[in-house]
Amino acid sequence: MAGAAGRASRRADRGHRLRVSNQGISGNRMLNNGIGVAASARFDRDVLATPGLGYVVLSVGGNDLAISFAPRDGDGPLADFLKVFPGAPVTTDDVIAGYRQLIARAYDHGVRVYATTIAPYEGAEVYTPEGESARQAVNEWIRTSGAFDTVLDFDAVWRDPARPSRIREDFHVGDHLHGSDAGYRALADSIDLSLFS
């Protein structure tokens, strides 16, 4: 076994118990409904009500930005796709305020809060330079604000060093947005499991 899963298994063999409850929904957003109820609306029920919860990893906000800054140029498959996501576009300030709200709610429950940076997505249909600027601004806040107990820098793991607004070719499934098995393995391997002990 390799990576985080192997390390978790070895920790379990030594008597350490680490449980993961993934409450992510593909395509979900933090602030507005769309594919599922917004993360901020379901956070207490789906996350904070988890028995024995000690840590929360917030990996949300990317879809808020990508959908808000996506090209809006008439008809076609992208226009039809965007109709699935109601609500007004959000700003970087809105996303940061959403993070602050989730952090406060988690701290009220005595839970440590970790965040992942938002991965690049140039090459995806929803990409725009404005969305990239927003992603970079939110990532800078995630990395430097001190608002989180720890930052897991998934952007740094996935980005192409030659073109940082794109995911490395071997780390996405061909859509420049979703990870390949190798991409997700790299994210898992980047996590220091001692953060959860």
Side-chain angles (χ1 to χ4, degrees), residues 146-167:
F148 302 97
D149 294 297
T150 292
V151 173
L152 307 173
D153 200 345
F154 285 4
D155 171 48
V157 174
W158 269 13
R159 70 177 171 238
D160 183 337
R163 195 161 182 181
S165 57
R166 286 182 177 259
I167 298 173

Side-chain angles (χ1 to χ4, degrees), residues 100-159:
R100 288 188 185 282
Q101 182 191 93
L102 295 177
I103 292 165
R105 288 159 65 186
Y107 283 168
D108 284 348
H109 282 78
V111 175
R112 293 181 60 92
V113 183
Y114 303 162
T116 69
T117 52
I118 299 169
Y121 63 99
E122 182 181 0
E125 278 190 287
V126 293
Y127 176 84
T128 61
E130 297 79 14
E132 174 61 14
S133 294
R135 183 187 76 83
Q136 288 183 19
V138 170
N139 278 349
E140 180 66 15
W141 179 82
I142 290 170
R143 289 182 182 111
T144 64
S145 68
F148 302 97
D149 294 297
T150 292
V151 173
L152 307 173
D153 200 345
F154 285 4
D155 171 48
V157 174
W158 269 13
R159 70 177 171 238

Side-chain angles (χ1 to χ4, degrees), residues 18 22 27 68 99 101-102 131 161 169 174 189 191:
L18 181 63
N22 182 350
S68 293
Y99 280 122
Q101 182 191 93
L102 295 177
E169 284 300 319
D189 288 346
I191 299 170

Side-chain angles (χ1 to χ4, degrees), residues 4-189:
R7 291 191 308 271
S9 177
R10 288 189 297 277
R11 288 170 55 100
D13 290 344
R14 291 192 306 261
H16 299 283
R17 300 190 53 92
L18 181 63
R19 295 179 193 92
V20 175
S21 175
N22 182 350
Q23 296 301 324
I25 298 174
S26 181
N28 199 219
R29 294 183 291 172
M30 180 180 358
L31 302 173
N32 290 316
N33 294 339
I35 299 178
V37 175
S40 59
R42 60 189 183 83
F43 189 64
D44 290 15
R45 179 197 70 204
D46 290 358
V47 178
L48 297 179
T50 303
L53 183 68
Y55 308 89
V56 169
V57 177
L58 296 176
S59 189
V60 67
N63 289 330
D64 294 82
L65 297 175
I67 297 302
S68 293
F69 290 94
R72 302 269 194 296
D73 52 7
D75 297 325
L78 180 58
D80 290 340
F81 172 74
L82 293 174
K83 291 176 186 172
V84 174
F85 299 95
V90 300
T91 66
T92 56
D93 288 341
D94 295 330
V95 171
I96 290 168
Y99 280 122
R100 288 188 185 282
Q101 182 191 93
L102 295 177
I103 292 165
R105 288 159 65 186
Y107 283 168
D108 284 348
H109 282 78
V111 175
R112 293 181 60 92
V113 183
Y114 303 162
T116 69
T117 52
I118 299 169
Y121 63 99
E122 182 181 0
E125 278 190 287
V126 293
Y127 176 84
T128 61
E130 297 79 14
E132 174 61 14
S133 294
R135 183 187 76 83
Q136 288 183 19
V138 170
N139 278 349
E140 180 66 15
W141 179 82
I142 290 170
R143 289 182 182 111
T144 64
S145 68
F148 302 97
D149 294 297
T150 292
V151 173
L152 307 173
D153 200 345
F154 285 4
D155 171 48
V157 174
W158 269 13
R159 70 177 171 238
D160 183 337
R163 195 161 182 181
S165 57
R166 286 182 177 259
I167 298 173
R168 286 178 35 174
E169 284 300 319
D170 55 330
F171 281 0
H172 68 84
V173 293
D175 64 357
H176 301 276
L177 188 61
H178 298 99
S180 65
D181 288 347
Y184 286 117
R185 188 173 307 109
L187 294 182
D189 288 346

